[in-house]
Amino acid sequence: MLEKIFNIIDDYDQIIIYRHINPDLDAFGSQLGLYYVFKKMNDKNIVLQGDMTSNILDYFDKFDAGHIKDGKTLGIVVDTANRERIDGDISLCDTLIKIDHHIIVDSYGNINIEVENASSCSEIIALLFQNACLDIPVEAAKALYLGIIGDSNRFLYSATSSDTFKAAAYLLEQGVNISEIYEPLYMQDKTDFNVYKYIYNHYHQVDKIAYYYLSDDDLKALNITREQGSSYVNTLADFKEFEIWMAVTEYKEKDCFRVSLRSRHVPVNVVASHFNGGGHAFASGATLNTLDELNDLIEELKGIKEYV
């Protein structure tokens, strides 16, 4: 499959790489993993689409998002289940390739590489490179490794498989230094301590559902971004009393509320899809237009057949 993609690339003047809105480590990891490889392998105009202001990008090596030019254009969309969540205008592309690991709901590409049981999109891309016996830049290997550990939660989630470890082993062979990745990613400071303290003192519980809410004022008081506010969702993960846990954060700039949903055994993705979101069975995101919708979301979660 990778050979087919490389053969296609020769026919185009530029490559635009897309990923989903509200990006996470896997979205950026798979996008930048391709970017670093393509920048090394050819002289095409390589462009990154989507908002590039996220603090998550601090974990990746430097890049130039580039500028779209005239010419025949190949688009590659990574880690995005449906076209509505693509961050960027895909109408600019003459041909579109989709690479994704979510439940298949929209095969919008001219070529679709969809592996539902993969731990991450970064895993899929790493294995494509490995199967082609390709040596890739260490920047690309680092980006893909970040994507894998982000979506697998350091190989803890159930989607982790032998293929996940094969991909990780391949990336280590390409020069990834684990300590250089993990230390900045998981090292904590006093800000983290204050956020944990706030969550533990202000979380809410409804039956076996636990959640915390951070208003815009709370985010400012804790000195964190909205994006960072959502990233603490697993603070409530390791308690046997909670089957589902959530982070709810006010997104004042867009006049809405972002919800990150997690569970051990309860498929939350269907409910998330009813609230402008979706994702994996046990890890999904949703968007509420008003905080009043939170009660509706909780009631639907309580009604899931598999809810224990």
Side-chain angles (χ1 to χ4, degrees), residues 17 183 201 261 293 296 302:
I17 309 173
E183 186 171 328
N201 283 316
L261 300 98
E293 293 180 355
D296 297 330
K302 289 167 62 178

Side-chain angles (χ1 to χ4, degrees), residues 17-291:
I17 309 173
Y18 303 81
R19 41 88 185 144
H20 62 73
I21 58 174
N22 302 312
D24 53 12
L25 278 171
D26 188 31
F28 280 129
S30 50
Q31 184 184 37
L32 288 169
L34 287 177
Y35 165 84
Y36 294 126
V37 171
F38 290 154
K39 288 292 283 187
K40 177 185 177 181
M41 294 190 63
N42 60 67
D43 58 358
K44 307 289 184 183
N45 183 41
I46 312 296
V47 182
L48 297 172
Q49 281 285 276
D51 183 5
M52 290 293 176
T53 61
S54 171
N55 63 322
I56 295 176
L57 288 169
D58 293 342
Y59 301 119
F60 296 87
D61 290 293
K62 292 182 179 180
F63 60 89
D64 178 2
H67 301 282
I68 296 173
K69 300 179 181 179
D70 293 332
K72 193 174 181 182
T73 301
L74 173 67
I76 303 177
V77 185
V78 297
D79 197 36
T80 310
N82 55 303
R83 70 191 73 205
E84 290 79 12
R85 287 181 54 79
I86 300 172
D87 195 349
D89 182 5
I90 57 174
S91 70
L92 301 171
C93 304
D94 298 285
T95 301
L96 197 66
I97 298 173
K98 174 191 179 186
I99 306 176
D100 188 46
H101 70 122
H102 295 93
I103 295 169
I104 300 173
V105 294
D106 182 5
S107 297
Y108 50 78
N110 302 103
I111 298 173
N112 298 287
I113 304 173
E114 300 164 304
V115 186
E116 287 186 347
N117 60 348
S119 71
S120 57
C121 188
S122 295
E123 174 188 315
I124 298 171
I125 294 170
L127 291 175
L128 286 173
F129 289 149
Q130 182 189 40
N131 291 337
C133 300
L134 195 67
D135 287 328
I136 63 175
V138 66
E139 296 88 352
K142 178 182 174 182
L144 294 170
Y145 193 87
L146 279 164
I148 290 172
I149 62 175
D151 256 25
S152 70
N153 191 19
R154 291 177 291 174
F155 310 105
L156 293 176
Y157 288 158
S158 59
T160 302
S161 68
S162 59
D163 281 340
T164 312
F165 288 107
K166 288 176 185 176
Y170 162 72
L171 297 173
L172 291 178
E173 292 169 355
Q174 302 304 307
V176 165
N177 184 317
I178 291 179
S179 62
E180 288 182 359
I181 288 179
Y182 283 119
E183 186 171 328
L185 195 59
Y186 296 105
M187 182 66 69
Q188 299 180 333
D189 57 23
K190 189 67 177 293
T191 296
D192 296 303
F193 177 81
N194 289 332
V195 176
Y196 291 136
K197 183 170 63 174
Y198 183 90
I199 291 172
Y200 286 137
N201 283 316
H202 296 87
Y203 79 91
H204 306 271
Q205 182 178 358
V206 180
D207 291 343
K208 295 184 179 181
I209 301 170
Y211 70 93
Y212 65 85
Y213 168 63
L214 297 176
S215 68
D216 187 65
D217 288 339
D218 294 330
L219 295 168
K220 289 176 180 175
L222 292 167
N223 195 31
I224 58 174
T225 65
R226 187 222 60 82
E227 190 175 53
Q228 289 171 317
S230 292
S231 71
Y232 291 90
V233 60
N234 283 323
T235 301
L236 301 173
D238 298 321
F239 298 92
K240 62 182 180 181
E241 290 84 1
F242 306 152
E243 287 288 335
I244 299 171
W245 53 97
M246 303 187 294
V248 184
T249 53
E250 183 177 6
Y251 199 169
K252 193 168 185 179
E253 291 83 355
K254 297 196 175 181
D255 194 27
C256 64
F257 301 84
R258 287 287 299 162
V259 183
S260 293
L261 300 98
R262 302 289 186 271
S263 76
R264 267 183 294 279
H265 308 296
V266 182
V268 297
N269 57 314
V270 175
V271 172
S273 70
H274 298 162
F275 293 86
N276 307 302
H280 304 289
F282 308 132
S284 293
T287 300
L288 308 179
N289 295 315
T290 69
L291 205 54

